[in-house]
Amino acid sequence: MRTEVLKFSEESAQKAAEILKNGGIVAIPTETVYGLAANALDENAVRSIFAAKGRPQDNPLIVHISEIEMMKPLVSDVPELAKKLAERFWPGPLTMIFNKTSAVPDVTSGGLSTAAVRMPKNEAARAIIEKCGFPLAAPSANTSGKPSPTAAEHVFEDMNGKIPLIIDGGECAVGVESTVICFKDGKIHILRPGGITKEMLEEFGEVEVDKAVEAAPAPDEKVISPGMKYKHYSPKAEVFIVDAHGDKFADYCRKNGGGKTLFLSCGEREGFLDYGETSEIQARRLFSLLRLSDEKGAERVFVEMPSKEGVGLAVYNRLLRAAGFKIINVEQYE
Ligand code: TXA
Ligand code: MG
């Protein structure tokens, strides 16, 4: 199959909608990362997403809507708190989990009785959903296990020959996937941190962060969000988080990073790749730098420990998975 890449426009959005209406899949930009979209209500269309990504069947997909009305037939028992959050943060990088109705096929929900719903802010994503008139199931448009795509070129690397069309909407504004939450005992429970931060959600009530966000689940542990249990976001190189900052981090790298080791520092430094001084910049750059490490043929990547505040928690959560939970405690080497 030839994979066409078209810049977002009225015509390319129309073309995408036609493919989607015929049960096909199309990669679309969102403000978080690129998504691999299909009609969320069409089982066969959704199956082709799993096939293109090589994604495990039990890992559910997020259902994307362009207006709140679209959600009504899909889910039930929506708490008042969720309505407030929708008013404040939709459209935007927040995904909420509710009980699903029979309108959402089991393939879409990975066999779960719940469905994850999000209303993206990106103009292209919204235009395409509107033209379709049905919700789109869309996981990140990477091959399962690889870093999520934040530019159309990344999608092309992974999906060339597997899908008919990629809509190019430029670089993603947020750069890490949406915050995924569910509601437990009246509390907001964060399953995956993202662009809508814990601090932002705290204005609306009590917030707890799932323990899987910062720790590796035990091999036989049942996790609420199936995506949490897989190794993720990984380039071919072995990634290590180095628990040190500034000169201490740089010294460690220079002493221990021989050969094909790349260094990612929080800010500019001679001989290092800069992944950004703020958490927002780090979120935008992280995935593309992990992909770059493969292009450069790196064997190892040492990453300076990021801040865990605000969107930093999302950066840290993705890095932990990219690193397979390997953190180097520098003190031990002194
Ligand atoms: O920003 C995003 O969320 C992007 C863009 C394309 O919208 N999408 C995305 O999808 O990141 P994906 O499939 O790569 O990640 C969805 C995560 C997975 O960890 C999955 O396990 C979890 O959400 N999830 C989806 N439905 C769920 C449900 N019903 N219950 C618990 N977790 C769910
Ligand atoms: Mg993903």
Side-chain angles (χ1 to χ4, degrees):
M1 185 188 295
R2 203 177 85 82
T3 302
E4 208 176 354
V5 183
L6 296 175
K7 288 246 179 310
F8 167 61
S9 67
E10 179 60 29
E11 297 86 79
S12 66
Q14 191 57 43
K15 186 160 189 182
E18 269 151 35
I19 294 172
L20 291 161
K21 283 180 188 167
N22 286 321
I25 53 180
V26 176
I28 61 168
T30 85
E31 70 278 20
T32 56
V33 301
Y34 277 71
L36 199 56
N39 182 350
L41 310 181
D42 176 341
E43 281 183 34
N44 287 327
V46 171
R47 278 201 188 93
S48 44
I49 297 181
F50 282 91
K53 272 184 72 85
R55 179 174 174 115
Q57 300 283 338
D58 69 343
N59 195 359
L61 307 182
I62 296 172
V63 177
H64 296 69
I65 56 172
S66 56
E67 53 188 317
I68 203 90
E69 296 305 311
M70 255 179 156
M71 183 168 96
K72 288 199 178 132
L74 309 177
V75 296
S76 64
D77 315 306
V78 176
E80 278 309 310
L81 178 55
K83 290 178 189 161
K84 286 193 189 136
L85 295 178
E87 235 168 70
R88 171 70 183 81
F89 298 115
W90 278 359
L94 178 69
T95 297
M96 295 195 266
I97 294 173
F98 306 110
N99 289 330
K100 78 171 190 72
T101 66
S102 57
V104 180
D106 289 338
V107 230
T108 306
S109 69
L112 297 177
S113 60
T114 52
V117 185
R118 148 162 141 82
M119 189 192 290
K121 191 170 191 166
N122 178 280
E123 191 194 353
R126 295 178 62 73
I128 294 166
I129 303 168
E130 266 166 35
K131 284 182 195 299
C132 286
F134 47 74
L136 295 179
S140 48
N142 52 288
T143 299
S144 203
K146 292 237 310 189
S148 297
T150 54
E153 299 79 66
H154 302 160
V155 182
F156 191 78
E157 271 167 30
D158 286 14
M159 293 297 149
N160 184 20
K162 295 185 176 168
I163 60 173
L165 177 62
I166 299 168
I167 299 293
D168 183 351
E171 270 182 43
C172 298
V174 180
V176 290
E177 304 86 342
S178 62
T179 305
V180 179
I181 61 169
C182 64
F183 300 92
K184 265 172 70 180
D185 315 316
K187 289 182 207 152
I188 300 171
H189 189 88
I190 299 183
L191 296 170
R192 180 179 73 180
I196 303 300
T197 64
K198 175 171 187 274
E199 293 82 349
M200 287 156 90
L201 293 167
E202 267 162 357
E203 283 179 34
F204 292 81
E206 209 178 316
V207 181
E208 50 186 27
V209 178
D210 196 273
K211 60 181 193 310
V213 166
E214 290 197 46
D220 50 357
E221 194 178 334
K222 201 171 175 322
V223 289
I224 309 179
S225 188
M228 296 284 215
K229 70 185 174 196
Y230 298 107
K231 189 178 175 194
H232 241 119
Y233 316 116
S234 301
K236 290 190 199 96
E238 207 177 353
V239 178
F240 297 85
I241 302 175
V242 179
D243 190 7
H245 299 282
D247 291 342
K248 213 169 182 184
F249 167 71
D251 284 346
Y252 178 84
C253 290
R254 292 196 184 103
K255 280 188 200 133
N256 299 280
K260 294 185 169 176
T261 310
L262 278 183
F263 310 134
L264 265 58
S265 55
C266 306
E268 281 179 36
R269 191 176 274 279
E270 173 98 39
F272 288 60
L273 290 169
D274 174 13
Y275 85 108
E277 273 181 36
T278 67
S279 299
E280 284 74 18
I281 302 173
Q282 290 169 7
R284 277 200 294 278
R285 289 186 188 162
L286 179 66
F287 286 141
S288 76
L289 285 171
L290 291 178
R291 279 182 183 263
L292 182 73
S293 68
D294 276 349
E295 266 169 50
K296 289 188 179 278
E299 281 165 8
R300 291 187 301 172
V301 185
F302 286 171
V303 187
E304 185 170 354
M305 178 65 92
S307 153
K308 297 179 200 169
E309 264 159 51
V311 73
L313 187 62
V315 172
Y316 179 64
N317 170 267
R318 306 310 190 269
L319 260 177
L320 262 181
R321 279 159 180 78
F325 298 91
K326 295 186 301 294
I327 301 177
I328 296 172
N329 178 349
V330 169
E331 313 294 332
Q332 286 177 351
Y333 292 82
E334 284 174 343

